[in-house]
Amino acid sequence: MDGIFISYRRDDSAGYAGRLYDRLAAHFGADRVFMDVEGIEPGLDFVVAIEEAVGSCRVLIAVIGGSLALFAWRAPTVGRGGAFALVSKETLLLINNVLLLAGMGAVLLGTVYPMVIDALNLGKLSVGPPYFNAVFVPIMLPLLLLMPLGPIARWKQDQLLPLLKSLRIEAVLAIVAAIVLPLLMGSWRPMVAVGAGLAVWVMAGVVRQVIVRVKTSWPPRAFWGMQFAHLGLAVFVVGVTFVSSYQVERDVSMAPGDTVSIHNIQLTLKGVSPVRGPNYEGARGEVIYGPQDQPEKTTGTLYTEKRTYFSSTMPMTEVGIDSSITRDLYVSMGEPTGNNAWAVRVYYKPFVSWIWAGCAFMALGGILAASDRRYRARKQTESNDAGEETSAIHEEKVAS
């Protein structure tokens, strides 16, 4: 059928479309003019009838009202409004997202690629600290450096010099931390100074933003989520930096009564006794430890076991662990070396718990941000709009 299809918005152009329909129907005939639901016979499927009418008509007339006409008129200026300067919150958010994606890709490549190579029988590939230090660390450095600037930068356009001036106290604290903290750990190292300085730089930025915001009004959950995530990343950096730079490992052969010292801690193998469990048997070593300068003082006791399970002939090691907020101490017992002595491996890892605490803070930040009341309200509004639209379509079908 060579007909005419009239499309219009009921809210602002129904009257104009009605008058146009009357004129066209008088000139061409009512059977050749289709006007939305007015041209659908009772009992026909609404969607199918619309599709058939559009496909069979040779002319389609769209009647727009004031709202769509205003949008069309303002479209050129709306497009230009999306621009932003090089120094702005948008730029910093963009850099943040790019760096996070690059970091995720680096970790994913270093983790998954060796497994893919092994699964395809193309050989063995080992990816360790040298890869991550060379790839992941350079990505994280600019991310940490720009992190305190993002929340305080203005939208669209800002000035770099005033931004940096507003963070001068944070910069001083970061420089002091870069100098002092490595010395407190026993030796000053460049990478430790960089990591400690950037971590304090981010922490100080978090404190500043919280103080400034709380003075005006109580922030929403999304704000707290952002601050917890930034704080968690800084705590994570402290843990990784100190562990990678100051961890100590000792491999020794010890008989009962022998001692070994590691980072001002003296450990003594008190004895080794047989142990039997429900599905294993083995030997249990009892290790006491205390300050190196006070040999008679005992701080705690660690138990490490060498087990052989009945279902397998491969021996397994149970590690003795003592954890604190500033360091973790590990003792692992190996194979007997003769003369009632055993191979013992001792690890001292500072600030390991900070790595887990940082991850927990970042996860908490994500939960707080996702549970913000504004996002829930927006979702509820979208659901209500979808429900109203469905009801309107249903009413139109019933009316037709």
Side-chain angles (χ1 to χ4, degrees):
M1 177 183 73
D2 295 337
I4 302 171
F5 185 94
I6 302 176
S7 177
Y8 67 97
R9 284 174 52 88
R10 290 178 175 272
D11 295 337
D12 53 10
S13 56
Y16 304 106
R19 286 192 290 274
L20 179 62
Y21 174 81
D22 294 338
R23 296 289 184 88
L24 293 174
H27 188 274
F28 295 102
D31 59 332
R32 300 184 62 189
V33 182
F34 185 92
M35 181 179 167
D36 201 8
V37 297
E38 301 296 334
I40 300 178
E41 296 293 335
L44 295 179
D45 185 88
F46 178 80
V47 177
V48 175
I50 290 292
E51 292 179 351
E52 292 179 352
V54 173
S56 61
C57 289
R58 198 170 267 198
V59 178
L60 188 146
I61 301 175
V63 182
I64 62 175
S67 58
L68 191 57
L70 178 62
F71 174 79
W73 176 50
R74 294 285 296 170
T77 54
V78 170
R80 290 195 298 270
F84 52 88
L86 181 62
V87 180
S88 63
K89 189 184 289 289
E90 289 89 343
T91 300
L92 292 172
L93 287 174
L94 179 62
I95 295 174
N96 172 82
N97 294 339
V98 170
L99 291 176
L100 286 177
L101 286 173
M104 182 191 70
V107 174
L108 189 65
L109 180 64
T111 305
V112 177
Y113 184 67
M115 294 189 294
V116 174
I117 293 296
D118 186 26
L120 296 177
N121 294 323
L122 298 178
K124 298 289 185 180
L125 183 63
S126 176
V127 176
Y131 165 80
F132 291 103
N133 292 338
V135 178
F136 188 72
V137 173
I139 296 174
M140 290 296 104
L141 292 181
L143 177 67
L144 294 169
L145 188 63
L146 296 175
M147 188 167 287
L149 299 175
I152 65 174
R154 294 190 181 95
W155 295 102
K156 300 297 183 182
Q157 186 174 2
D158 207 334
Q159 301 296 324
L160 182 60
L161 189 58
L163 275 178
L164 296 178
K165 284 184 177 180
S166 65
L167 294 172
R168 56 185 179 274
I169 296 178
E170 289 83 349
V172 172
L173 292 175
I175 294 173
V176 172
I179 297 173
V180 174
L181 291 181
L183 295 177
L184 293 178
M185 293 299 296
S187 62
W188 193 90
R189 301 179 184 181
M191 290 307 299
V192 177
V194 172
L198 287 175
V200 172
W201 163 255
V202 174
M203 291 179 183
V206 169
V207 174
R208 176 189 184 276
Q209 294 161 33
V210 171
I211 293 175
V212 172
R213 182 62 183 273
V214 171
K215 285 182 178 179
T216 57
S217 62
W218 189 255
R221 290 185 183 180
F223 173 83
W224 292 112
M226 175 182 66
Q227 303 307 327
F228 270 106
H230 289 183
L231 179 63
L233 184 58
V235 171
F236 178 84
V237 169
V238 171
V240 171
T241 301
F242 285 1
V243 168
S244 61
S245 299
Y246 294 112
Q247 64 178 341
V248 182
E249 177 182 343
R250 295 287 303 276
D251 289 311
V252 294
S253 178
M254 300 179 68
D258 290 346
T259 62
V260 60
S261 297
I262 184 171
H263 206 279
N264 299 323
I265 300 175
Q266 180 174 287
L267 300 97
T268 303
L269 179 62
K270 192 174 181 180
V272 179
S273 58
V275 62
R276 185 177 181 88
N279 58 346
Y280 68 89
E281 61 182 9
R284 172 184 292 176
E286 181 181 356
V287 179
I288 58 175
Y289 63 94
Q292 185 177 0
D293 54 355
Q294 302 177 25
E296 70 284 352
K297 182 178 180 181
T298 299
T299 304
T301 304
L302 296 175
Y303 295 95
T304 175
E305 297 182 5
K306 195 69 175 180
R307 297 178 177 178
T308 300
Y309 287 87
F310 302 143
S311 60
S312 174
T313 57
M314 181 179 295
M316 304 291 291
T317 301
E318 293 293 318
V319 181
I321 303 175
D322 178 71
S323 297
S324 68
I325 193 173
T326 58
R327 60 106 180 104
D328 278 18
L329 187 63
Y330 305 86
V331 176
S332 173
M333 190 168 67
E335 300 294 335
T337 58
N339 297 324
N340 203 26
W342 293 77
V344 178
R345 178 171 294 178
V346 183
Y347 298 90
Y348 175 88
K349 293 181 178 290
F351 292 91
V352 168
S353 58
W354 286 50
I355 298 177
W356 303 109
C359 295
F361 276 127
M362 286 187 278
L364 177 60
I367 294 173
L368 287 175
S371 63
D372 190 277
R373 176 176 55 84
R374 294 172 296 175
Y375 301 137
R376 297 199 307 270
R378 182 183 303 172
K379 184 176 181 180
Q380 182 65 33
T381 302
E382 292 175 353
S383 300
N384 293 340
D385 292 341
E388 292 175 0
E389 183 179 353
T390 303
S391 299
I393 294 175
H394 178 69
E395 290 175 0
E396 290 181 354
K397 289 183 178 182
V398 172
S400 61

